[in-house]
Amino acid sequence: MTRTDGRAENELREITIERGWSTQAEGSALISFGNTKVLCTATFTNGVPRWLKGQGKGWVTAEYSMLPRSTNSRMDRESVKGKIGGRTHEISRLIGRSLRAVIDTKALGENTIVIDCDVLQADGGTRTAAITGAYVALADAIEWARDQKFIGQKAQPLTDSVAAVSVGIIDGVPMLDLAYVEDVRAETDMNVVVTGRGAFVEVQGTAEGAPFDRAELDKLLDLALGGGVTLTEIQKVALGS
Amino acid sequence: MTRTDGRAENELREITIERGWSTQAEGSALISFGNTKVLCTATFTNGVPRWLKGQGKGWVTAEYSMLPRSTNSRMDRESVKGKIGGRTHEISRLIGRSLRAVIDTKALGENTIVIDCDVLQADGGTRTAAITGAYVALADAIEWARDQKFIGQKAQPLTDSVAAVSVGIIDGVPMLDLAYVEDVRAETDMNVVVTGRGAFVEVQGTAEGAPFDRAELDKLLDLALGGGVTLTEIQKVALGS
Amino acid sequence: MTRTDGRAENELREITIERGWSTQAEGSALISFGNTKVLCTATFTNGVPRWLKGQGKGWVTAEYSMLPRSTNSRMDRESVKGKIGGRTHEISRLIGRSLRAVIDTKALGENTIVIDCDVLQADGGTRTAAITGAYVALADAIEWARDQKFIGQKAQPLTDSVAAVSVGIIDGVPMLDLAYVEDVRAETDMNVVVTGRGAFVEVQGTAEGAPFDRAELDKLLDLALGGGVTLTEIQKVALGS
Amino acid sequence: MTRTDGRAENELREITIERGWSTQAEGSALISFGNTKVLCTATFTNGVPRWLKGQGKGWVTAEYSMLPRSTNSRMDRESVKGKIGGRTHEISRLIGRSLRAVIDTKALGENTIVIDCDVLQADGGTRTAAITGAYVALADAIEWARDQKFIGQKAQPLTDSVAAVSVGIIDGVPMLDLAYVEDVRAETDMNVVVTGRGAFVEVQGTAEGAPFDRAELDKLLDLALGGGVTLTEIQKVALGS
Amino acid sequence: MTRTDGRAENELREITIERGWSTQAEGSALISFGNTKVLCTATFTNGVPRWLKGQGKGWVTAEYSMLPRSTNSRMDRESVKGKIGGRTHEISRLIGRSLRAVIDTKALGENTIVIDCDVLQADGGTRTAAITGAYVALADAIEWARDQKFIGQKAQPLTDSVAAVSVGIIDGVPMLDLAYVEDVRAETDMNVVVTGRGAFVEVQGTAEGAPFDRAELDKLLDLALGGGVTLTEIQKVALGS
Amino acid sequence: MTRTDGRAENELREITIERGWSTQAEGSALISFGNTKVLCTATFTNGVPRWLKGQGKGWVTAEYSMLPRSTNSRMDRESVKGKIGGRTHEISRLIGRSLRAVIDTKALGENTIVIDCDVLQADGGTRTAAITGAYVALADAIEWARDQKFIGQKAQPLTDSVAAVSVGIIDGVPMLDLAYVEDVRAETDMNVVVTGRGAFVEVQGTAEGAPFDRAELDKLLDLALGGGVTLTEIQKVALGS
């Protein structure tokens, strides 16, 4: 069996990161996983939400959204429908948790960073691309805040880097970084969020078709950890570190 | 280290299932995982949503909600807020997917079953209790439909049973079926949905504190599979099968 | 003419009150009027809504809701519809007014009690069951607050007890405490809220069919006052007073 | 004790009805109860809501609303708040029920009449003014439909007339048709809807202060029936019948 | 070509202004442009919105709405739909901007005036009638505030008067103040807001059919300026100035 | 007086159009007016909205939105707020009307084209950039539909091209194509939509400060027509026509 685009089973799509795409945001990255393109911007503001005030800690949160025609057929805007769908909520929460896993909120001080991940074009793996790009925007916003002296020169709010990738089983074969045409055929679909040091932040596996067994789960985790190493490397290059 | 309620690390709380609690619904179960109590009702109706018509397939979906004072401090009603929160959406979708994993939609025919899981009292593990109880309500609704001849006498829409349990790491120790006081202290929190035959339907692990490594993940999966066996047994007893 | 369940015209259904059903709320009662079951919880909090601050007075309010499958056919959730229907609003307001009629807000001090009445199963008379059960939850929450010293040891915020019952005319015959099958056939439907001392708090009569005359109205009021006496007695027993 | 405006206890305010105020609606009336002014319009359309189709019956419904500055201090618009309040819902439903009590839906055929009652200026008794004016608009819309041959020449959908008035107890004295300054002081407030023949359609009494006893209730009903006779007469004059 | 109602091309419909229509509002006017009737009320309150506090400036804003049966066929209420439509938003904003163009916010001090323009009957030109009537209500609210000493005796928050009128091209002929039957046939439709001194505040022209050229635009502006002179005169008469 | 970026008063910013930016949409363009960047996509679908069915005519509509961090400080998402603001509604409607002004709906047949204009970065003039880019996406979607034979080979739904530009008066000087820093200082702000042949589709002028006179209006219209000629030329180049 060959993949539509000829990739090996353990091969990522072409990943590009345009760091600093936005002239407005404190940090930003336009990330591509093949044809999937996500614009990630980071907004840094002094102060924290009311429920967190006075604890000397910062806050990082994220919002995910898709442009109506990012997909093959047009979706109605959630602003027009007047409510946010379950999938959008779920992914926004996932991105936020993933970023907070590498944040030392004490070191951030009473400051808030909001990450917006807007999918300009969708071809599978938008949430994993969003997390991977969001980290770059986040790192730059923290750098900006240090330059502006909103956080101390020696403070290091980032405890590690974080990236994400999808894996899945298609016709019984475990594969890395599914494109849309692969994703719809997958029996099992899993999103894995890993740190630069290779630990897990999130593991979300779902049987879309037949339930999966322990051996299959193990193979998927191997693929994901491998993909994470490469994504971490690409993030480092983008950040020039 | 001992657990607040003296349980062993691989021990479930007391599980009870009051099958047929409702005199109104086609299937129902009031399930308790210790102090967590969830009322699950199954509504069977002929016909399917518009997007599924004419394909000879049925549909199973679920809605989860918490009573405002099911928790220790009162939460505002989502009906009053005018919108459903991300967590509620996420859990409703999880329950629906879990049940559909053991449904043969062809065998169900063009019929819809809606499962309502309303948390009357919450003490950790509400989503896993909901899935476990929902299966019982679902099974009874299918039995009812067979009696009413809405589905064929030989049709078997259920391909397996399904149950769910939480696991987590507290002070470095992996544990089964976390109560609320344990859940808030857990570094890693995982919900695992398994079939009666022991395969995975969903694996959702989140690092609330430090990221977790492969070895920890393996131990959590072991605990969850063990808990699944017991829950499956309890479901069988409740259903008299 | 005989009633479906063989009751006399001036006879209530079986009434049961499970006081302290909830381990979370400051006061609670699971009340049944026959097959109608309503879970009433009382939440006590220090402080009052902004518009009441600084007046030395407390506040009591209520919210009523039905589980989607509490009824014979499933209703959509109001949280899903994104708005609360007129009937729900009307009943929530009625319960709140009824309870406030027996509250001395000065004696309550600047504290708020929210009563949640969630209908777990509906078979007619849900609003009157809710009021009758809510009083028990309210009384217990006040007792709790006295124990916690949130209100003075001698303060008596409750000036009386309160209960409610439905009456109606079916085929020209006035009857007490209508079950659902009776309710849908009633020409006139009336809900009456009375205090333990036998005075009226609310009288809400509606001609569903032919308008009713003064003589019929008088008979309905007689039945309601009689039912009120019995309900008051049952509340006293439940509260052990 | 004298009333602010010098009226006797059983005296209505000045009532005027400007029939046919609107050049757009099928029926309309601008009704005044003293300074309370309500514009009532009736919209007649062929067809009925989906749930009523094919039964050969018509439908009458009503919507009530207040202009933001109809009252002494400005209220936010419900369209701006994005939801309709409980009081508005309650009154809209009351008006609709009151009108349907004098409608023979079979004689109306499969047609719908929507009555809009918009309070242009409020000084107490807006709901009772609305019902009284709505009947005039309704009668004219039916006349219009007969002229247009949307209903048969001999069909008589109106079985009676309907009007409404408020009564209340102030400083222990029962009084008819409360103005706003009286309404806020009333211990008991009751709205009574009566037909032209003097039967009750709705009786809604509420103890705002102390609960009321049977004797007080009787006096309020006497006053309301008296007011109903006068309002019926004024409606007849307005309709030239 | 003659106009339906026999007017000359540069002739306004009959304009009437009932100043002080409301006994509740600080300023009010019921304005008619032929059959178009708009009730304008002005609410004066001390203080300004939060974003304007402490700058020594006042705020004037407006809300526009149509009664559901102000038009020939009934429209659903925006409160029922749960959201405000684009056209309503657009017109509310236009009225607010138009009034602020003649307000010296420093002279108004930290006070807010909200103008409500409710269309009781619609026959074309509701937004221009609303602006013209709103000015009268605004002027009276300012006078009231001066009497109440909420603003200084010599302060003059009004720098000019403001009025508005529609113009359009029908069958190639430019015309002033379109009635509804004209409006629907117009190829170009323009709303022009002018001050008492004859300067422009807003010019909003739209090609409904064929695009319009510079010469047509010039003729429309001439007509509008002429209409503005007359409306200014009528406002002066209404205000007795 | 010199402009911040050194442009002449009648000079546009650098305009670039990346035609076919999206691999998903039937037509698309990423347009820049200096730092303002708008992604325009056109979605072609068979069929028309219900109210237009059976008339042999097509429909073109548009939706405008800004990414939350397209601007200098982050704005809340309209999907999160649960409603669309007045400004968004206004601009969406303007874009739709502008495009329909150059569409022959008969020639389009019963097909719908939805144009989405999402502002990725904002620096003034987002609505005029959106209209100018939307025309390119629209033209390509029509070409696509002709290739797919959804419209006839000889049908020409486009009757002209359309573009838009802002003009304004700053310190008394009329200027073309305002950047954000200019826009906030402008006394008068005008958006002008013109066809390729130089006729007006929309003229929307607003006095933000002092009202403007006829002579100023004339100069602004001259500038806008000049800018329109250049934009039309750039559109032609982008479309290779």
Side-chain angles (χ1 to χ4, degrees):
Chain A
M1 198 206 110
T2 5
R3 301 180 77 166
T4 319
D5 52 6
R7 278 188 285 151
E9 284 148 20
N10 65 350
E11 194 180 343
L12 293 167
R13 289 177 284 180
E14 189 187 11
I15 314 289
T16 65
I17 298 179
E18 247 181 273
R19 181 185 169 202
W21 188 91
S22 161
T23 62
Q24 303 275 26
E26 283 75 61
S28 66
L30 177 58
I31 190 165
S32 304
F33 273 45
N35 280 324
T36 289
K37 297 183 184 192
V38 184
L39 178 55
C40 306
T41 58
T43 298
F44 185 100
T45 45
N46 291 122
V48 286
R50 201 162 15 166
W51 52 269
L52 199 59
K53 275 186 184 157
Q55 304 182 29
K57 293 183 194 168
W59 182 239
V60 173
T61 186
E63 291 186 7
Y64 166 96
S65 186
M66 300 181 87
L67 292 198
R69 192 55 202 280
S70 58
T71 42
N72 190 251
S73 53
R74 186 177 185 274
M75 301 174 302
D76 285 341
R77 287 173 193 271
E78 293 183 323
S79 60
V80 168
K81 290 193 282 189
K83 57 181 173 188
I84 292 178
R87 180 184 172 276
T88 298
H89 264 138
E90 219 171 284
I91 299 178
S92 293
R93 286 155 57 90
L94 171 65
I95 301 171
R97 280 199 311 272
S98 298
L99 298 173
R100 287 193 295 274
V102 296
I103 282 285
D104 173 351
T105 56
K106 283 276 182 196
L108 182 55
E110 294 214 354
N111 296 299
T112 297
I113 301 177
V114 180
I115 308 287
D116 287 290
C117 298
D118 286 273
V119 178
L120 305 188
Q121 195 160 276
D123 185 28
T126 60
R127 81 188 69 186
T128 50
I131 291 167
T132 307
Y135 169 73
V136 174
L138 175 66
D140 269 347
I142 286 171
E143 211 50 54
W144 176 91
R146 190 176 287 117
D147 288 353
Q148 302 290 318
K149 308 214 191 316
F150 288 130
I151 60 173
Q153 294 312 295
K154 295 190 177 158
Q156 185 41 281
L158 284 173
T159 59
D160 200 341
S161 68
V162 67
V165 71
S166 74
V167 285
I169 303 175
I170 302 172
D171 297 337
V173 185
M175 290 182 181
L176 180 67
D177 185 22
L178 310 189
Y180 182 71
V181 290
E182 295 172 330
D183 190 52
V184 294
R185 290 179 49 217
E187 294 111 47
T188 291
D189 185 19
M190 183 173 289
N191 291 292
V192 181
V193 183
V194 290
T195 62
R197 293 193 194 98
F200 295 104
V201 167
E202 287 268 343
V203 173
Q204 296 198 340
T206 300
E208 305 283 354
F212 51 100
D213 63 25
R214 188 69 176 267
E216 289 172 317
L217 179 52
D218 283 343
K219 279 184 211 149
L220 291 171
L221 293 169
D222 289 342
L223 279 175
L225 287 173
V229 170
T230 310
L231 291 170
T232 298
E233 195 53 41
I234 293 171
Q235 289 174 325
K236 276 188 191 155
V237 171
L239 286 165
S241 56
Chain B
M1 196 205 110
T2 3
R3 302 181 77 166
T4 320
D5 53 6
R7 278 187 286 150
E9 285 147 20
N10 66 348
E11 193 179 345
L12 293 166
R13 289 177 282 180
E14 188 185 14
I15 314 290
T16 64
I17 299 179
E18 245 181 274
R19 181 186 171 202
W21 189 90
S22 162
T23 61
Q24 302 276 27
E26 282 76 61
S28 66
L30 177 60
I31 190 165
S32 305
F33 273 45
N35 281 325
T36 289
K37 296 183 185 193
V38 184
L39 178 55
C40 307
T41 58
T43 298
F44 184 99
T45 45
N46 291 121
V48 286
R50 202 162 16 166
W51 52 270
L52 198 59
K53 273 186 185 157
Q55 303 182 29
K57 293 183 194 166
W59 182 239
V60 173
T61 186
E63 291 186 5
Y64 167 97
S65 186
M66 299 180 87
L67 292 199
R69 191 56 202 279
S70 57
T71 42
N72 190 251
S73 53
R74 189 178 182 273
M75 302 174 301
D76 286 341
R77 287 174 193 270
E78 293 184 322
S79 59
V80 169
K81 290 193 281 188
K83 57 182 173 187
I84 292 178
R87 179 182 173 279
T88 298
H89 263 138
E90 219 170 286
I91 298 179
S92 293
R93 286 155 56 91
L94 170 65
I95 301 171
R97 280 200 311 272
S98 299
L99 298 173
R100 287 192 295 275
V102 295
I103 283 285
D104 173 350
T105 56
K106 284 276 181 196
L108 182 54
E110 294 212 354
N111 296 299
T112 297
I113 300 177
V114 179
I115 307 288
D116 286 290
C117 297
D118 286 90
V119 178
L120 305 188
Q121 194 160 275
D123 184 29
T126 62
R127 81 187 70 187
T128 50
I131 291 167
T132 307
Y135 169 73
V136 174
L138 175 66
D140 268 348
I142 286 170
E143 209 52 51
W144 176 91
R146 189 176 287 117
D147 287 353
Q148 301 289 318
K149 308 215 191 313
F150 287 132
I151 60 173
Q153 294 312 295
K154 295 190 179 161
Q156 185 40 284
L158 284 173
T159 59
D160 201 341
S161 68
V162 68
V165 72
S166 74
V167 285
I169 303 175
I170 301 171
D171 297 337
V173 184
M175 289 181 183
L176 180 67
D177 187 21
L178 310 188
Y180 182 72
V181 290
E182 296 172 330
D183 191 52
V184 293
R185 290 180 49 219
E187 294 109 48
T188 291
D189 185 19
M190 183 173 291
N191 291 292
V192 181
V193 183
V194 291
T195 63
R197 294 195 194 97
F200 295 105
V201 167
E202 286 269 344
V203 173
Q204 295 199 339
T206 300
E208 306 283 355
F212 51 100
D213 63 24
R214 188 70 174 268
E216 289 171 317
L217 179 51
D218 283 343
K219 279 183 211 149
L220 291 171
L221 293 168
D222 289 342
L223 279 176
L225 286 173
V229 170
T230 309
L231 291 169
T232 299
E233 195 53 40
I234 292 170
Q235 289 174 325
K236 276 186 193 157
V237 171
L239 286 165
S241 57
Chain C
M1 199 207 109
T2 6
R3 301 180 78 165
T4 319
D5 52 6
R7 279 186 286 151
E9 285 146 20
N10 65 350
E11 195 179 341
L12 293 166
R13 288 178 284 180
E14 188 187 9
I15 313 291
T16 64
I17 299 178
E18 245 182 274
R19 180 186 171 201
W21 188 90
S22 162
T23 61
Q24 301 276 27
E26 284 76 59
S28 66
L30 176 60
I31 191 165
S32 304
F33 273 46
N35 281 324
T36 289
K37 297 184 185 192
V38 184
L39 178 56
C40 306
T41 57
T43 298
F44 184 99
T45 45
N46 290 120
V48 286
R50 199 160 19 164
W51 52 268
L52 198 60
K53 275 186 184 156
Q55 303 181 29
K57 291 182 194 169
W59 182 240
V60 173
T61 186
E63 290 186 7
Y64 166 97
S65 187
M66 299 179 86
L67 292 199
R69 192 55 202 280
S70 57
T71 43
N72 190 251
S73 52
R74 188 179 183 272
M75 302 175 301
D76 286 341
R77 287 175 193 269
E78 293 182 324
S79 59
V80 169
K81 289 193 283 188
K83 58 182 173 187
I84 292 178
R87 179 182 173 278
T88 299
H89 264 138
E90 219 171 286
I91 298 178
S92 293
R93 286 155 56 91
L94 171 64
I95 300 170
R97 281 199 310 272
S98 299
L99 297 174
R100 287 191 295 273
V102 296
I103 283 286
D104 173 351
T105 56
K106 283 278 182 195
L108 182 54
E110 294 213 355
N111 296 299
T112 297
I113 300 176
V114 179
I115 308 288
D116 287 289
C117 298
D118 286 272
V119 178
L120 305 188
Q121 194 160 276
D123 185 28
T126 61
R127 81 187 70 186
T128 50
I131 291 167
T132 307
Y135 169 73
V136 173
L138 175 65
D140 269 347
I142 286 171
E143 210 52 51
W144 176 91
R146 189 176 287 116
D147 287 352
Q148 301 289 318
K149 308 217 191 311
F150 288 130
I151 60 173
Q153 295 312 296
K154 295 190 177 161
Q156 185 40 281
L158 284 174
T159 59
D160 201 342
S161 68
V162 67
V165 71
S166 75
V167 285
I169 302 175
I170 301 171
D171 297 337
V173 184
M175 290 181 182
L176 180 67
D177 186 23
L178 309 189
Y180 182 71
V181 289
E182 297 172 329
D183 191 52
V184 293
R185 289 178 51 216
E187 294 109 49
T188 292
D189 185 19
M190 184 173 287
N191 292 292
V192 181
V193 184
V194 292
T195 63
R197 292 192 196 99
F200 295 104
V201 167
E202 286 269 343
V203 173
Q204 296 199 340
T206 300
E208 305 284 353
F212 51 99
D213 63 24
R214 188 67 176 269
E216 289 172 315
L217 178 52
D218 284 343
K219 278 181 211 152
L220 291 172
L221 293 169
D222 290 341
L223 279 175
L225 287 173
V229 170
T230 309
L231 291 169
T232 298
E233 195 53 39
I234 293 170
Q235 288 174 324
K236 277 186 192 157
V237 171
L239 286 166
S241 56
Chain D
M1 196 206 111
T2 4
R3 301 181 77 166
T4 319
D5 53 6
R7 278 188 286 151
E9 284 145 20
N10 66 349
E11 195 179 342
L12 292 167
R13 288 177 284 181
E14 187 186 13
I15 313 291
T16 65
I17 299 179
E18 246 181 274
R19 180 187 171 201
W21 189 90
S22 160
T23 62
Q24 302 276 28
E26 282 76 61
S28 66
L30 177 60
I31 191 165
S32 305
F33 272 46
N35 280 326
T36 290
K37 296 184 185 192
V38 184
L39 178 55
C40 306
T41 58
T43 297
F44 185 101
T45 45
N46 291 122
V48 286
R50 203 165 10 168
W51 51 269
L52 199 59
K53 272 185 187 158
Q55 305 183 27
K57 293 183 193 168
W59 183 239
V60 173
T61 187
E63 290 184 7
Y64 167 96
S65 186
M66 301 181 85
L67 292 199
R69 191 56 202 279
S70 57
T71 41
N72 190 251
S73 52
R74 187 178 184 273
M75 302 175 301
D76 285 341
R77 288 174 193 270
E78 293 183 323
S79 59
V80 169
K81 288 193 283 187
K83 58 182 173 186
I84 291 179
R87 180 183 173 276
T88 299
H89 264 138
E90 218 171 287
I91 299 179
S92 293
R93 285 156 56 92
L94 171 65
I95 301 171
R97 279 200 310 270
S98 298
L99 298 173
R100 286 193 295 275
V102 296
I103 282 285
D104 173 351
T105 56
K106 283 277 181 195
L108 182 54
E110 294 212 355
N111 296 298
T112 297
I113 301 177
V114 180
I115 308 288
D116 287 290
C117 298
D118 286 90
V119 178
L120 306 188
Q121 194 160 274
D123 184 29
T126 60
R127 80 188 71 186
T128 51
I131 291 167
T132 308
Y135 169 73
V136 174
L138 175 67
D140 269 348
I142 287 170
E143 210 51 53
W144 177 90
R146 191 177 285 117
D147 287 354
Q148 301 290 318
K149 306 215 191 318
F150 288 130
I151 61 172
Q153 295 312 295
K154 294 189 176 160
Q156 185 40 283
L158 285 173
T159 59
D160 201 340
S161 67
V162 68
V165 71
S166 74
V167 286
I169 303 175
I170 302 172
D171 298 336
V173 185
M175 289 182 182
L176 181 66
D177 186 22
L178 310 189
Y180 182 71
V181 290
E182 296 172 330
D183 190 51
V184 293
R185 291 181 46 219
E187 294 110 49
T188 292
D189 185 19
M190 184 173 287
N191 291 292
V192 182
V193 183
V194 291
T195 64
R197 292 195 194 99
F200 296 104
V201 168
E202 286 268 345
V203 173
Q204 295 198 339
T206 301
E208 306 283 356
F212 52 100
D213 63 23
R214 187 69 175 266
E216 288 172 317
L217 178 51
D218 283 343
K219 278 183 210 149
L220 291 172
L221 293 169
D222 289 341
L223 279 175
L225 287 173
V229 170
T230 309
L231 290 169
T232 299
E233 195 53 42
I234 292 169
Q235 288 175 323
K236 276 187 191 157
V237 171
L239 285 165
S241 57
Chain E
M1 199 208 108
T2 7
R3 301 179 77 165
T4 320
D5 54 6
R7 279 187 285 150
E9 285 147 19
N10 65 351
E11 195 179 341
L12 293 166
R13 287 177 284 178
E14 188 186 12
I15 313 292
T16 65
I17 298 178
E18 245 183 274
R19 180 187 171 200
W21 188 90
S22 162
T23 62
Q24 302 276 28
E26 284 75 60
S28 66
L30 177 59
I31 191 165
S32 304
F33 273 45
N35 280 325
T36 289
K37 297 183 184 191
V38 185
L39 178 55
C40 306
T41 58
T43 298
F44 185 100
T45 45
N46 290 121
V48 286
R50 201 161 15 163
W51 52 269
L52 198 60
K53 274 186 185 158
Q55 304 182 27
K57 292 183 193 169
W59 182 240
V60 173
T61 186
E63 290 186 7
Y64 166 97
S65 186
M66 300 181 84
L67 292 198
R69 192 55 202 279
S70 58
T71 43
N72 191 251
S73 53
R74 187 177 183 274
M75 301 175 301
D76 285 341
R77 288 174 193 268
E78 292 183 324
S79 59
V80 169
K81 289 192 282 189
K83 57 182 173 187
I84 292 179
R87 179 183 173 276
T88 298
H89 264 139
E90 218 172 286
I91 299 178
S92 293
R93 286 156 55 91
L94 171 65
I95 300 171
R97 282 199 310 271
S98 298
L99 297 173
R100 286 192 296 273
V102 296
I103 283 285
D104 174 350
T105 56
K106 283 277 182 196
L108 182 54
E110 293 212 355
N111 296 299
T112 297
I113 301 176
V114 179
I115 308 287
D116 286 290
C117 297
D118 285 273
V119 178
L120 305 187
Q121 194 159 275
D123 185 28
T126 60
R127 81 188 69 185
T128 50
I131 291 167
T132 308
Y135 169 73
V136 174
L138 175 66
D140 269 348
I142 287 170
E143 211 49 54
W144 177 91
R146 190 176 286 116
D147 288 354
Q148 302 290 317
K149 308 217 191 310
F150 288 129
I151 60 173
Q153 295 311 295
K154 293 191 177 160
Q156 186 40 282
L158 284 173
T159 59
D160 201 341
S161 68
V162 67
V165 72
S166 75
V167 286
I169 303 176
I170 302 171
D171 297 337
V173 185
M175 290 180 181
L176 181 66
D177 186 22
L178 309 190
Y180 181 71
V181 290
E182 296 172 331
D183 190 52
V184 293
R185 291 179 49 217
E187 293 111 48
T188 291
D189 185 19
M190 184 173 287
N191 291 293
V192 181
V193 183
V194 291
T195 64
R197 291 192 196 100
F200 295 105
V201 167
E202 285 269 344
V203 173
Q204 295 199 340
T206 300
E208 305 282 355
F212 51 100
D213 62 25
R214 187 69 175 267
E216 289 172 317
L217 178 51
D218 283 345
K219 278 183 210 149
L220 291 172
L221 293 169
D222 290 342
L223 278 176
L225 287 173
V229 170
T230 309
L231 291 169
T232 299
E233 194 53 40
I234 292 170
Q235 288 174 326
K236 277 186 190 155
V237 171
L239 286 165
S241 56
Chain F
M1 196 205 110
T2 4
R3 301 180 78 165
T4 319
D5 53 5
R7 279 186 287 150
E9 285 146 20
N10 66 348
E11 195 179 343
L12 293 167
R13 287 177 285 180
E14 187 186 13
I15 314 290
T16 64
I17 299 179
E18 243 181 277
R19 180 187 171 201
W21 188 91
S22 162
T23 61
Q24 301 276 28
E26 283 76 60
S28 66
L30 177 60
I31 191 165
S32 304
F33 273 45
N35 280 327
T36 290
K37 298 184 185 193
V38 185
L39 177 56
C40 305
T41 58
T43 298
F44 184 100
T45 45
N46 290 121
V48 286
R50 201 162 16 165
W51 52 268
L52 198 60
K53 274 186 183 157
Q55 304 182 28
K57 293 183 193 166
W59 183 240
V60 174
T61 186
E63 290 186 6
Y64 166 96
S65 186
M66 300 180 86
L67 292 198
R69 192 55 202 278
S70 58
T71 42
N72 190 251
S73 52
R74 187 176 185 275
M75 302 175 301
D76 285 341
R77 287 174 194 269
E78 293 183 324
S79 60
V80 169
K81 288 192 282 188
K83 58 181 173 185
I84 292 178
R87 179 183 173 277
T88 298
H89 263 139
E90 219 171 286
I91 298 178
S92 292
R93 287 156 55 92
L94 171 65
I95 301 171
R97 282 200 310 271
S98 298
L99 298 174
R100 286 192 295 274
V102 297
I103 282 285
D104 174 349
T105 55
K106 283 278 183 196
L108 182 55
E110 295 212 354
N111 296 299
T112 297
I113 301 176
V114 180
I115 308 287
D116 287 289
C117 298
D118 286 90
V119 178
L120 305 188
Q121 194 160 274
D123 185 29
T126 61
R127 80 188 72 187
T128 50
I131 292 167
T132 307
Y135 169 72
V136 174
L138 175 65
D140 269 348
I142 287 171
E143 210 52 52
W144 177 91
R146 189 177 287 115
D147 287 353
Q148 301 290 318
K149 307 215 191 319
F150 288 131
I151 61 172
Q153 294 312 295
K154 296 190 175 159
Q156 186 39 284
L158 284 173
T159 59
D160 202 341
S161 68
V162 67
V165 71
S166 74
V167 286
I169 302 176
I170 301 171
D171 297 338
V173 184
M175 290 181 181
L176 181 67
D177 186 22
L178 311 188
Y180 182 71
V181 290
E182 296 172 330
D183 191 52
V184 293
R185 291 180 47 218
E187 294 111 47
T188 291
D189 184 19
M190 184 172 289
N191 291 292
V192 181
V193 183
V194 292
T195 63
R197 293 193 194 98
F200 296 105
V201 167
E202 285 270 345
V203 173
Q204 295 198 341
T206 300
E208 305 283 355
F212 52 99
D213 64 24
R214 187 69 174 266
E216 290 172 315
L217 178 51
D218 283 345
K219 278 183 211 149
L220 291 171
L221 293 169
D222 288 343
L223 278 175
L225 287 173
V229 170
T230 309
L231 291 169
T232 299
E233 195 53 40
I234 292 170
Q235 288 174 324
K236 276 188 191 155
V237 170
L239 286 165
S241 57

